[in-house]
Amino acid sequence: MTLTFVGLGLWDEKDITLRGIEAVRNADVVYAEFYTSRLSTSVERLERVLGKEIRVLERRHLEEESRKLVEEAKEKNIVVLVAGDPMIATTHSSIMVEAKARGVEVEIVHNASIVSAIAGVTGLHIYRFGKIATVSYPYGNVVSRTPLDVIKQNLSINAHTLLLLDLNPEPMTIGYAVELLERVDDGTLDHFAVGVARVGGDSVAICDKFYRLKNHDFGDPLHSIVFLARTIHITEYEFLREFANAPDELYEIVE
């Protein structure tokens, strides 16, 4: 018996791979989790395409109760559907380790994720990216400084920063993320960034000064932000001018 994590890709039910479809059709039980990432589709549409009943997992099933999932995989072929690529979320890699320790075979069916697609939608060189951070909703009135700290670390090595935006209780918008980080900024954020929306679907990318991103209409989530490195390559600049409406002043940071 096997526990298989299947990536669903970036956008909707059409993004699953042929290998993923095969894994689902060979499964005894199919689960899906949309806590770590989401798609622009519904469980019902996924069921119609895949021809299987899908049971939705909650966060506790993947964390506090992950052992139940592993134990079930000792007797049945279990598939867990995950938006994007399954192993981008550390939660899933932890379950893999637990399953391996309990003698359960584990397989992964990879797919596209925001981490791999961000270079394509922005034209930024993938090897220029540093650490990734998530802009989280405030805890009470406290705004996490972690994204700002990560941006500083990446700026110190002249690297871009991918900022993922919190999905819970609802997908965060670029405008709200900018407003949150304004509260903790010490002057670091007076620089250029790229806001992206709905990567994999009717995607939008807009380059501007970080604070000015909140003045643009990105439409519906899912949203992400790339905070640019201190300098950019001429080919990155040209792409952002053509496909992200970058302002003329961006040329000032071309190396």
Side-chain angles (χ1 to χ4, degrees), residues 67-115:
R67 184 171 181 175
K68 294 180 181 179
L69 191 65
V70 173
E71 289 298 319
E72 186 176 15
K74 287 183 176 181
E75 301 177 354
K76 301 175 182 178
N77 286 320
I78 304 297
V79 162
V80 179
L81 302 174
V82 182
D85 185 274
M87 292 303 114
I88 295 300
T90 55
T91 298
H92 305 139
S93 56
S94 297
I95 295 174
M96 283 187 64
V97 171
E98 183 178 0
K100 182 70 173 179
R102 296 186 180 279
V104 174
E105 183 179 352
V106 181
E107 295 183 358
I108 307 168
V109 180
H110 292 286
N111 209 321
S113 77
I114 185 64
V115 175

Side-chain angles (χ1 to χ4, degrees), residues 125-234:
H125 301 171
I126 194 67
Y127 56 82
R128 293 286 310 278
F129 281 79
K131 291 176 64 176
I132 298 171
T134 298
V135 182
S136 303
Y137 282 103
Y139 184 76
N141 291 320
V142 178
V143 177
S144 173
R145 291 182 55 88
T146 298
L148 181 64
D149 293 337
V150 170
I151 289 171
K152 286 183 173 182
Q153 292 174 33
N154 289 338
L155 286 174
S156 72
I157 59 171
N158 201 20
H160 306 309
T161 305
L162 172 59
L163 297 174
L164 305 177
L165 307 189
D166 206 347
L167 297 176
N168 299 286
E170 62 183 10
M172 185 183 294
T173 64
I174 288 169
Y176 186 70
V178 170
E179 291 175 2
L180 284 178
L181 293 181
E182 279 182 313
R183 301 186 201 176
V184 295
D185 186 27
D186 54 8
T188 300
L189 301 180
D190 185 18
H191 190 59
F192 294 95
V194 186
V196 297
R198 299 176 303 283
V199 176
D202 58 331
S203 61
V204 171
I206 299 175
C207 178
D208 206 339
K209 281 294 189 77
F210 177 79
Y211 287 139
R212 295 203 294 250
L213 289 180
K214 65 183 180 182
N215 300 327
H216 295 279
D217 182 7
F218 288 91
D220 294 333
L222 300 175
H223 292 179
S224 302
I225 300 172
V226 179
F227 195 90
L228 297 186
R230 289 185 291 103
T231 62
I232 61 174
H233 191 268
I234 185 62

